[in-house]
């Protein structure tokens, strides 16, 4: 799957898959932007003013609980669009949207996108298809978080990151991993050590290197394939 996600390794796949005239109309409204790791696109209850079609890098939607705990709900790379909730009607964000890794995107004003979607059914259908796949992933994740072991979920999460970045090394601190997985740091450390013993990853000082992709896939739960968004 990694080869499919990353070839070519730059450019949003939704935009690339549109008819030439639809693609040109969309890009005429877009502003190319760079984002750094940790950049916050919006906080809960912010008005979602822009859609970001990711060209490279990874963005995550993160649920923030009253006690400050967090857990990732959605991961988006170049297969999708951040802020898709505002593509149909004006919306308030329900989660925090944050850059998991640095990258680039095509930023489009949400109101202008909605106008374009009325005029261009091809644009509307491309984004609607992504929303449908996203819903399927969310439904699968609900079962995954309830029923699968931390090591399985960690392996799945690493695979999804690996699909969306170039190279095999990910800069991920233990604290960050815990916040994305909604787990204790000790739980994440135990899962990482187990995967390292299996030869799937090398893990030290905030860096995770995928050393055996096949071993990591064997360690992951079925949800990696069942719930993964494909274009």
């Amino acid at each position: 799957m990694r080869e499919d996600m990353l070839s070519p390794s730059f450019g949003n796949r939704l935009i690339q898959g549109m008819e030439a005239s639809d693609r040109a109309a969309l890009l005429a409204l877009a502003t190319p932007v760079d984002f750094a790791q940790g950049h916050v696109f919006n906080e809960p209850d912010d008005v979602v003013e822009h859609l970001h079609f990711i060209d490279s890098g990874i963005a995550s939607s993160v649920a923030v609980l009253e006690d400050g705990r967090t857990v990732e709900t959605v991961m988006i790379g170049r297969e999708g669009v951040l802020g898709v909730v505002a593509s149909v009607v004006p919306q308030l964000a329900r989660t925090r949207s944050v850059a998991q890794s640095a990258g680039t995107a095509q930023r489009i004003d949400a109101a202008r996108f909605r106008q374009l979607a009325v005029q261009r059914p091809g644009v509307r259908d491309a984004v609607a298809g992504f929303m449908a796949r996203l819903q399927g992933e969310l439904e699968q994740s609900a079962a995954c978080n309830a029923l699968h072991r931390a090591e399985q979920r960690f392996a799945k999460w690493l695979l999804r990151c690996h699909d969306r970045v170039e190279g095999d090394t990910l800069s991920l601190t233990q604290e960050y991993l815990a916040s994305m997985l909604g787990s204790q740091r000790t739980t994440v450390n135990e899962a990482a050590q187990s995967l390292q013993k299996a030869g799937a990853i090398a893990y030290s000082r905030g860096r995770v290197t995928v050393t055996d992709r096949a071993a990591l896939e064997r360690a992951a739960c079925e949800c990696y394939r069942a719930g993964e968004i494909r274009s």
Side-chain angles (χ1 to χ4, degrees):
M1 169 164 183
R2 178 172 166 78
E3 182 178 350
D4 177 65
M5 291 286 289
L6 295 177
S7 181
S9 61
F10 184 87
N12 184 270
R13 291 178 65 86
L14 286 180
I15 295 177
Q16 290 175 344
M18 294 177 186
E19 296 291 337
S21 59
D22 288 336
R23 183 167 58 248
L26 182 71
L27 292 175
L29 302 179
T31 300
V33 295
D34 299 327
F35 53 84
Q37 185 178 34
H39 172 74
V40 176
F41 297 91
N42 59 251
E43 293 282 5
D45 296 325
D46 286 350
V47 176
V48 182
E49 297 180 342
H50 298 96
L51 277 62
H52 289 82
F53 289 79
I54 306 298
D55 284 326
S56 65
I58 306 173
S60 295
S61 291
V62 181
V64 183
L65 303 184
E66 289 184 355
D67 62 6
R69 288 182 297 169
T70 60
V71 61
E72 182 187 76
T73 58
V74 172
M75 180 189 297
I76 298 173
R78 55 186 293 264
E79 80 288 347
V81 53
L82 185 68
V84 71
V85 292
S87 65
V88 179
V89 293
Q91 289 281 346
L92 297 180
R94 298 191 178 186
T95 59
R96 173 183 296 150
S97 294
V98 60
Q100 190 183 124
S101 67
T104 61
Q106 300 294 327
R107 185 181 67 197
I108 300 176
D109 179 83
R112 297 187 71 185
F113 176 85
R114 291 192 292 270
Q115 293 173 352
L116 179 67
V118 172
Q119 302 165 0
R120 294 272 180 178
V123 172
R124 178 199 63 208
D125 291 348
V127 173
F130 171 72
M131 291 178 67
R133 295 190 294 273
L134 187 65
Q135 179 64 31
E137 181 187 335
L138 289 168
E139 292 170 356
Q140 187 74 29
S141 292
C144 182
N145 292 335
L147 300 174
H148 289 148
R149 293 181 291 107
E151 181 183 331
Q152 293 176 302
R153 293 190 293 113
F154 184 34
K156 178 195 74 171
W157 191 84
L158 288 176
L159 285 167
R160 299 184 70 234
C161 288
H162 193 225
D163 286 338
R164 291 166 170 81
V165 299
E166 294 186 39
D168 295 321
T169 299
L170 309 168
S171 297
L172 302 165
T173 66
Q174 193 176 94
E175 181 178 8
Y176 182 80
L177 288 168
S179 70
M180 289 295 102
L181 295 169
S183 302
Q184 299 293 324
R185 292 177 62 180
T186 53
T187 302
V188 171
N189 185 59
E190 289 170 0
Q193 293 300 326
S194 179
L195 291 174
Q196 184 163 258
K197 289 180 181 178
I201 65 171
Y203 178 62
S204 65
R205 297 183 180 180
R207 296 171 69 86
V208 177
T209 301
V210 177
T211 53
D212 188 335
R213 169 89 185 191
L216 193 59
E217 290 186 2
R218 288 193 297 272
C221 56
E222 65 201 69
C223 301
Y224 169 63
R225 294 180 179 82
E228 182 66 4
I229 293 179
R230 296 177 175 84
S231 55

